[in-house]
């Protein structure tokens, strides 16, 4: 029979032992040495706390049944995540990113070669999609340099070209602290990639760093709104005239909380953020679930057109796909109005967030790969795939996942958490609490002080360099001379993966 500790007996013993010790030390203090009274006071305090737990407080069953001993459970529970992360979790176990995945980012960000030895720690049980190589790899000098131009489909004068397939995905000043925004933007500039401002309003710190920016207009339209939440065309026009603003992204929805607006907990509203967003201090900021102008497919497409007319720079839309039939209807409406966003950013349900209701984070939205595949298929079937670019987001932190997304229809890659990890994020999962231990998602100066902007900016640039190196190596190994030729033929999709099931089902079902 397994030996077990009878906590109830121990706690009953403790209930007697603690006051007895107080009496014993009191006698010791009286007859032996005055110093025993220090222990008398300690045990008297413990007795009072124990009695409070056992007979007065009514909230916690464990404390009412086990007294002070029950407190140990709460202490162990509170340090459990750290104990598991540092001591007990194995390398492939943690979520959202396991240690192997995180270490690869850390190594890339530090400029350390990410070659590893002996063998992969991942499963090769026919459950994962892999990239097919060619018997005839090509040399780097025969591979065309990556270039992707947004806005060319509309014949825009102010097109925007990226020369690397990576973009830092939306994270607002608010969700992120000042040092993090500065380091990301400076790093993006050093790496030669753009950064999305997130929905935090006037991107003051982003603009100070002089990076190339995609301004995100969330549903609350911070920075470009009228008092009633509608778009202020003049404010947007003025912002678009800033040389650093290269594109606009209208956020319709986000993978971590589709159907909900952004959420910034009150703990993170400083005076400056309150001023930048025009929101009160001391209250959670909850953005509306949709733009006031977007009530149906007609008004949504008309709104895209209005923003395009105001901005004169590429304008895209960010969505997490839910109902594919609604998406197809929206695409048909675009055709009807002859209005197309310059890019579609597809955010998988597995995407990250500063804060979101758990039910939405866990339960809503289509994961990236099937969403990407469906969107690409619908756009192709509707004959409009060539009218816009697709940017994919959703845990695309390493080169092989990124390659798979490109093969399933993406033209470029968004990453938020890959870049947070490069900044030194340790996945403490405290982004909404203002207590981020590495100073990234906090406004507490005493925690931000460890995040040295110059140092971390270099890590962002190194990470991009490492990814780009892999990207061309992978193109070479797959025998592809132009990134535009990456397609599903380059993928080995085993029959029995959950993803393969979904994709195969989607392939069979023409009426998505
Ligand atoms: C801290 C944090 C803040 C974010 N803020 C925004 C935001 O302001 N607007 C938005 O559309 N998405 C926001 N996101 C979502 C990301 O832009 C991205 O779509 C999602 O995390 C998927 O990418 P990833 O898996 O590479 O993190 C945020 C994500 C994180 C982790």
């Amino acid at each position: 029979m397994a030996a077990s500790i009878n906590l109830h007996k121990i706690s009953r013993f403790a209930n007697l032992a603690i006051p007895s010790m107080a009496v014993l030390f009191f006698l010791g203090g009286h007859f032996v040495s005055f110093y025993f009274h220090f222990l008398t006071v300690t045990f008297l305090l413990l007795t009072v706390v124990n009695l409070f737990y056992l007979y007065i407080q009514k909230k916690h069953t464990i404390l009412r049944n086990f007294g002070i001993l029950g407190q140990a459970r709460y202490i162990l529970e509170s340090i459990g995540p750290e104990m598991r992360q540092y001591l007990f979790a194995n390398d492939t176990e943690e979520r959202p990113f396991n240690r192997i995945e995180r270490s690869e980012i850390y190594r890339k960000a530090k400029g350390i070669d990410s070659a590893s030895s002996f063998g992969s720690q991942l499963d090769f049980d026919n459950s994962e999609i892999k990239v097919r190589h060619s018997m005839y790899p090509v040399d780097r000098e025969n591979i065309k340099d990556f270039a992707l131009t947004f806005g060319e489909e509309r014949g825009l004068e102010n097109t925007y070209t990226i020369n690397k397939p990576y973009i830092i995905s939306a994270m607002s000043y608010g969700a992120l602290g000042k040092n993090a925004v500065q380091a990301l933007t400076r790093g993006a500039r050093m790496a030669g990639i753009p950064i999305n401002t997130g929905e935090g309003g006037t991107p003051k710190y982003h603009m100070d760093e002089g990076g190339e920016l995609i301004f995100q207009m969330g549903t609350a339209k911070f920075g470009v709104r009228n008092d009633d939440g509608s778009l202020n065309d003049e404010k947007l026009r003025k912002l678009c005239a800033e040389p650093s603003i290269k594109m606009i992204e209208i956020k319709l929805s986000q993978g971590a909380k589709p159907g909900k607006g952004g959420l910034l907990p009150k703990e993170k509203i400083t005076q400056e953020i309150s001023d930048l967003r025009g929101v009160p201090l001391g209250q959670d900021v909850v953005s509306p679930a949709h733009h006031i102008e977007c009530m149906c497919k007609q008004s949504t497409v008309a709104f895209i057109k209005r923003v395009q007319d105001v901005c004169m720079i590429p304008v895209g839309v960010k969505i997490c796909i839910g109902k594919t039939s609604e998406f197809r209807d929206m695409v048909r409406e675009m055709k009807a109005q002859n209005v197309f966003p310059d890019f579609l950013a597809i955010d998988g349900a597995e995407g990250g967030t500063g804060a979101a209701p758990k039910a939405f984070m866990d339960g809503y939205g289509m994961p990236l790969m099937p969403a990407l595949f469906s969107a690409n298929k619908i756009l192709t079937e509707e004959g409009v795939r060539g009218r816009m670019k697709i940017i994919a987001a959703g845990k695309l932190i390493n080169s092989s996942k990124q390659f798979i997304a490109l093969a399933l229809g993406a033209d470029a890659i968004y990453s938020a958490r890959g870049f947070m990890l490069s900044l030194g994020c340790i996945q403490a999962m405290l982004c909404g609490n203002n207590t981020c231990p590495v100073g990234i998602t906090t406004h507490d100066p005493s925690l931000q002080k460890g995040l040295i902007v110059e140092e971390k900016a270099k890590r962002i640039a190194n990470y991009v360099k490492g990814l780009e190196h892999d990207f061309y190596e992978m193109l070479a190994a797959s025998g592809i001379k132009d990134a535009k030729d990456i397609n599903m033929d380059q993928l080995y999709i085993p029959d029995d993966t959950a993803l393969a099931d979904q994709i195969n089902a989607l392939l069979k079902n023409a009426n998505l």
Side-chain angles (χ1 to χ4, degrees):
M1 208 189 357
S4 67
I5 303 170
N6 189 332
L7 268 184
H8 200 200
K9 267 191 188 160
I10 299 177
S11 76
R12 273 184 295 183
F13 173 75
N15 293 344
L16 290 176
I18 295 169
S20 309
M21 293 300 280
V23 173
L24 212 72
F25 286 123
F26 175 77
L27 294 175
H30 195 71
F31 294 111
V32 185
S33 159
F34 172 80
Y35 290 108
F36 277 108
H37 283 316
F38 289 111
L39 290 167
T40 313
V41 173
T42 308
F43 276 89
L44 270 178
L45 281 176
L46 287 175
T47 306
V48 172
V49 173
N50 199 30
L51 290 174
F52 172 78
Y53 284 158
L54 288 169
Y55 299 108
I56 297 178
Q57 70 81 28
K58 291 182 180 162
K59 276 191 188 155
H60 305 287
T61 315
I62 294 273
L63 296 183
R64 205 153 167 98
N65 287 348
F66 296 90
I68 211 160
L69 219 70
Q71 195 57 261
R73 178 188 182 278
Y74 294 106
I75 294 170
L76 286 175
E77 195 182 36
S78 72
I79 59 169
E82 286 81 3
M83 299 294 277
R84 286 191 290 278
Q85 183 174 30
Y86 290 118
L87 297 176
F88 304 118
N90 75 38
D91 287 353
T92 56
E93 210 170 57
E94 290 167 276
R95 297 282 187 277
F97 301 105
N98 65 39
R99 203 173 321 205
I100 299 179
E101 292 168 319
R102 296 202 313 273
S103 306
E104 191 191 339
I105 314 297
Y106 297 146
R107 291 173 75 87
K108 278 193 165 71
K110 288 175 188 163
I112 304 171
D113 180 11
S114 62
S116 39
S117 318
F118 201 64
S120 171
Q121 293 184 63
L122 302 182
D123 288 332
F124 280 77
D125 56 359
N126 227 19
S127 67
E128 288 201 9
I129 293 184
K130 302 284 176 203
V131 181
R132 292 180 190 275
H133 67 284
S134 165
M135 285 168 70
Y136 311 105
V138 289
D139 296 325
R140 171 66 184 96
E141 56 270 25
N142 293 327
I143 301 175
K144 236 173 127 181
D145 287 341
F146 180 90
L148 190 70
T149 301
F150 294 88
E152 61 185 0
E153 296 86 351
R154 279 199 293 141
L156 272 184
E157 202 174 306
N158 297 318
T159 55
Y160 177 57
T161 299
I162 55 172
N163 297 107
K164 298 181 173 72
Y166 318 107
I167 306 173
I168 302 184
S169 194
M171 288 179 281
S172 62
Y173 172 56
L176 300 182
K178 176 171 150 243
N179 291 21
V181 169
Q182 288 174 327
L184 283 170
T185 315
R186 198 175 300 179
R189 182 161 50 79
M190 287 160 72
I193 63 165
I195 174 169
N196 187 311
T197 62
E199 55 182 302
T202 311
K204 175 173 177 289
Y205 291 108
H206 294 90
M207 293 204 289
D208 286 352
E209 285 294 330
E212 301 200 339
L213 309 179
I214 301 169
F215 175 76
Q216 186 181 67
M217 188 203 300
T219 51
K221 301 192 186 64
F222 296 123
V224 291
R225 60 183 272 143
N226 293 314
D227 287 345
D228 64 356
S230 61
L231 176 65
N232 183 312
D233 292 20
E234 258 331 292
K235 285 186 186 167
L236 180 63
R237 192 170 288 121
K238 206 166 149 218
L239 193 78
C240 290
E242 290 285 339
S244 55
I245 307 288
K246 301 297 178 190
M247 303 207 281
I248 300 294
E249 180 177 83
I250 304 170
K251 175 184 169 182
L252 295 184
S253 56
Q254 178 184 342
K257 43 189 163 183
K260 300 282 289 176
L263 165 64
L264 190 64
K266 58 179 180 301
E267 292 76 13
K268 298 178 74 172
I269 319 273
T270 60
Q271 186 60 56
E272 188 185 31
I273 288 166
S274 145
D275 295 343
L276 277 174
R277 296 193 182 202
V279 295
L281 287 166
Q283 284 175 29
D284 288 351
V285 175
V286 185
S287 300
H290 64 89
H291 289 270
I292 200 169
E293 296 86 351
C294 302
M295 304 299 291
C296 59
K297 60 185 178 186
Q298 289 86 355
S299 54
T300 303
V301 174
F303 185 61
I304 297 171
K305 166 95 172 93
R306 176 173 159 197
V307 177
Q308 286 181 333
D309 287 347
V310 170
C311 292
M312 311 303 284
I313 56 177
V315 173
V317 167
K318 174 170 180 169
I319 51 166
C320 170
I321 293 187
K323 297 175 187 157
T324 43
S325 56
E326 270 183 3
F327 179 73
R328 189 185 285 278
D329 284 350
M330 170 76 76
V331 173
R332 288 186 174 156
E333 184 59 31
M334 290 173 184
K335 281 164 67 177
Q337 295 191 30
N338 195 24
V339 170
F340 298 92
D342 298 294
F343 65 89
L344 192 66
I346 298 180
D347 198 21
E350 64 273 57
T353 174
K358 185 112 174 72
F360 281 78
M361 209 189 280
D362 292 344
Y364 264 79
M366 222 169 154
L368 173 65
M369 297 303 182
L372 190 52
F373 176 82
S374 308
N376 191 41
K377 186 169 187 289
I378 289 171
L379 290 168
T380 308
E381 283 170 359
E382 294 296 329
V384 295
R385 177 63 187 88
R387 301 297 298 261
M388 69 196 78
K389 305 293 188 297
I390 294 183
I391 310 174
K395 297 181 81 172
L396 299 177
I397 62 169
N398 67 41
S399 311
S400 49
K401 285 268 167 58
Q402 293 171 349
F403 200 93
I404 292 170
L406 294 172
L408 286 175
D411 297 299
I413 303 296
Y414 256 152
S415 175
R417 286 169 295 176
F419 287 101
M420 285 174 80
L421 290 166
S422 309
L423 276 186
C425 166
I426 56 167
Q427 198 169 274
M429 313 287 280
L430 297 169
C431 310
N433 297 20
N434 204 31
T435 53
C436 171
V438 287
I440 297 175
T441 57
T442 176
H443 303 287
D444 180 341
S446 67
L447 291 168
Q448 286 184 336
K449 79 173 191 328
L451 199 166
I452 307 294
V453 174
E454 305 80 77
E455 285 306 312
K456 300 300 178 185
K458 284 185 215 151
R459 299 221 174 162
I460 300 298
N462 282 341
Y463 175 48
V464 174
K465 204 168 154 194
L467 289 177
E468 195 186 18
H469 170 81
D470 287 357
F471 175 66
Y472 283 109
E473 295 259 291
M474 291 180 79
L475 284 176
S478 298
I480 300 171
K481 293 184 179 158
D482 186 339
K484 292 192 172 77
D485 297 331
I486 305 176
N487 60 42
M488 268 183 73
D489 293 344
Q490 267 90 46
L491 299 185
Y492 166 69
I493 304 182
D495 287 339
D496 58 352
T497 60
L499 175 58
D501 283 350
Q502 291 173 48
I503 288 181
N504 287 330
L506 293 167
L507 271 171
K508 278 185 211 137
N509 180 3
N511 303 316
L512 283 168

